[in-house]
Amino acid sequence: MYQILAYVLSGTTFMGVIGSVAYYKQNRRLKEAEVKEKEVDVERAKIEARKSEIDLLFAQLERTERACEQKDKRLSELNDAINKHIDRRRELADRLSSSEIETNRVNMLLNEAKNDVIRLTEERDFERSRADYAEMWRCEWNDCQDPRGRKPPRNLTGLKYSPPKRVSYKIA
């Protein structure tokens, strides 16, 4: 009987040991599964946080793109305005250049006219001086055939008649 009891007890003990080992392993697997489940929950939370971050970044990117489009549009408008001003400046520069050319042409004509006036004034002055000189030496005799020559009306005795010489000036 003792043998049977020892056998049963040894079997029970063996079964108890096997049961304890199986329980321990099962308990360990459950704890590992719980740990893994918690890790998965943490990873899911991280993924959700990343998703919300990505959504925020996409929204910010869209706002930035809209702002860039508005800035590009404004920059295009400003470039158009600058181009208009440049074209207007070119037009005014061309008009100024043609005005300067016309002014230079008119100045050349004016200088030529001034030179003509100066030349004509010199000729007039010379003819006046000749006339004045001839008037000074006019003959007072009735026939002007006096062998003594012309008689001056004033006190010019001792002087010899010589008409004035023409002076020519160079005009630059």
Side-chain angles (χ1 to χ4, degrees), residues 98-170:
S98 64
S99 296
E100 286 178 352
I101 290 170
E102 183 64 17
T103 301
N104 290 340
R105 187 185 70 77
V106 169
N107 281 337
M108 284 176 51
L109 292 174
L110 182 63
N111 287 338
E112 289 174 5
K114 284 180 182 178
N115 290 339
D116 287 345
V117 168
I118 291 171
R119 182 183 52 78
L120 291 172
T121 304
E122 288 174 354
E123 285 179 13
R124 183 202 63 196
D125 291 346
F126 174 71
E127 292 301 324
R128 279 186 183 169
S129 68
R130 247 177 74 184
D132 289 345
Y133 192 76
E135 181 69 26
M136 190 171 60
W137 285 92
R138 77 180 180 342
C139 179
E140 291 186 357
W141 306 105
N142 287 338
D143 58 1
C144 284
Q145 299 295 326
D146 190 348
R148 294 175 289 171
R150 294 180 165 184
K151 177 183 173 201
R154 294 187 193 97
N155 190 5
L156 296 175
T157 53
L159 293 178
K160 187 175 180 181
Y161 176 78
S162 62
K165 302 275 190 249
R166 180 175 284 211
V167 178
S168 63
Y169 297 97
K170 292 226 172 191

Side-chain angles (χ1 to χ4, degrees), residues 35-90:
V35 168
K36 283 184 182 180
E37 187 177 339
K38 287 182 181 178
E39 286 176 358
V40 167
D41 290 342
V42 168
E43 289 298 320
R44 280 189 185 142
K46 284 182 183 179
I47 289 172
E48 288 299 319
R50 296 286 179 181
K51 277 185 180 179
S52 64
E53 229 178 279
I54 288 172
D55 290 340
L56 287 173
L57 289 175
F58 272 125
Q60 186 178 7
L61 180 63
E62 288 176 5
R63 285 192 305 270
T64 305
E65 286 176 350
R66 280 194 302 272
C68 285
E69 287 173 2
Q70 290 173 350
K71 287 179 182 179
D72 286 345
K73 183 180 176 185
R74 179 68 177 142
L75 186 60
S76 176
E77 291 171 357
L78 292 174
N79 282 338
D80 291 342
I82 288 171
N83 288 338
K84 286 179 185 177
H85 287 292
I86 289 172
D87 291 343
R88 180 69 177 146
R89 185 186 168 280
R90 282 186 186 139

Side-chain angles (χ1 to χ4, degrees), residues 2-18:
Y2 286 112
Q3 288 178 344
I4 293 179
L5 186 62
Y7 180 72
V8 169
L9 284 178
S10 69
T12 309
T13 307
F14 180 72
M15 289 301 277
V17 170
I18 291 177

